[in-house]
């Protein structure tokens, strides 16, 4: 769902898995902010776990930059799920060669913080509750924005706002419309129409809806 906010259904993941197996691909999952999409760590890991259950080998990158607020530390991990110890041994040796050439030894400060949180049932529970609260707030903002857009332009289908998940939304705005958002309304987003909803407050949903509808109708 990053960067578009679009998350395949489990039925669609099944179709993707079938195709991956048919073509012999090695899929790569980017789990950029596990726990922020649905507010549930397990639900947000459903896709790679499904592939593991299917016996499909894959790579999975995880980051704690967003879900633990450790941007400056850049804490993360690259996991390889393989079907044989021989493949795992060969892959590990290659990963070590790459790591050695890039940084040799990663900094331990951020990783120590993550380890502290993960090893304490109390802090781990608190962390999960905080993520659920943050995710719930973003879902609420999506709902408010959807209603404001529907009021202003009922003839357009705005359901993508609430159907997408996570911190970002792919609005479908063209580069010219995005330029209007920036120059006239001072709303900043990438040229492809992707916008972050994490910093949007409920009180600003009406303003953002005005900007989006104006851009859709007049540009």
């Amino acid at each position: 769902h990053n960067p578009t906010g679009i998350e395949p259904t489990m039925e669609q993941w099944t179709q993707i898995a079938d195709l991956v197996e048919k073509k012999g691909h090695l899929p790569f999952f980017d789990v950029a902010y596990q726990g922020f999409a649905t507010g549930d760590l397990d639900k947000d890991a459903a896709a790679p776990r499904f592939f593991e259950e299917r016996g499909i080998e894959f790579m999975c990158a995880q980051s704690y930059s967003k879900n633990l607020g450790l941007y400056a530390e850049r804490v993360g991990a690259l996991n390889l799920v393989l079907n044989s110890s021989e493949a795992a041994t060969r892959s590990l040796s290659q990963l070590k060669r790459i790591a050695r050439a890039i940084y040799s030894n990663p900094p331990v400060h951020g990783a120590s913080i993550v380890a502290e949180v993960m090893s304490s049932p109390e802090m781990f529970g608190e962390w999960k509750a905080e993520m659920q609260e943050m995710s719930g707030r973003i879902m609420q903002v999506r709902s408010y924005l959807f209603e404001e857009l529907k009021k202003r332009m009922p003839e357009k289908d705005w359901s993508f706002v609430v159907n997408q998940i996570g911190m970002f939304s792919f609005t479908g705005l063209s580069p010219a419309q995005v330029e209007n958002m920036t120059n006239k309304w001072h709303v900043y987003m990438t040229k492809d129409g992707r916008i972050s909803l994490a910093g949007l407050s409920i009180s600003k949903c009406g303003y953002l809806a005005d900007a989006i509808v104006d851009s859709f109708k007049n540009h």
Side-chain angles (χ1 to χ4, degrees), residues 138-163 197 200 202 204-210 212-213:
I138 295 174
M139 290 178 187
Q140 187 180 35
V141 164
R142 284 183 179 276
S143 179
Y144 272 82
L145 178 60
F146 170 69
E147 293 299 332
E148 295 294 336
L149 287 166
K150 209 163 57 165
K151 287 179 194 173
R152 289 159 175 78
M153 196 175 176
E155 67 274 18
K156 181 173 173 58
D157 181 10
W158 300 103
S159 60
F160 66 87
V161 176
V162 288
N163 290 338
L197 298 177
L200 179 64
I202 289 174
K204 293 291 185 181
C205 285
Y207 182 88
L208 180 59
D210 286 336
I212 292 174
V213 169

Side-chain angles (χ1 to χ4, degrees), residues 74-78 94-108:
R74 309 306 293 177
V75 186
L78 175 63
Q94 295 302 311
L95 291 177
K96 285 180 176 179
R97 287 182 61 189
I98 295 169
R100 178 68 175 172
I102 298 174
Y103 56 79
S104 188
N105 289 296
V108 300

Side-chain angles (χ1 to χ4, degrees), residues 107-125:
V108 300
H109 307 90
S112 298
I113 295 172
V114 175
E116 186 76 14
V117 173
M118 299 295 178
S119 61
S120 166
E122 183 181 354
M123 284 193 288
F124 187 65

Side-chain angles (χ1 to χ4, degrees), residues 77-91:
L78 175 63
N79 307 284
L80 275 68
V81 178
L82 305 170
N83 290 330
S84 73
S85 58
E86 184 184 356
T89 300
R90 291 199 308 267
S91 300

Side-chain angles (χ1 to χ4, degrees), residues 10-26:
M10 286 313 297
E11 182 182 354
Q12 291 169 332
W13 276 122
T14 300
Q15 295 173 345
I16 293 170
D18 290 342
L19 190 62
V20 165
E21 284 188 317
K22 181 180 177 181
K23 292 184 172 291
H25 291 325
L26 178 69

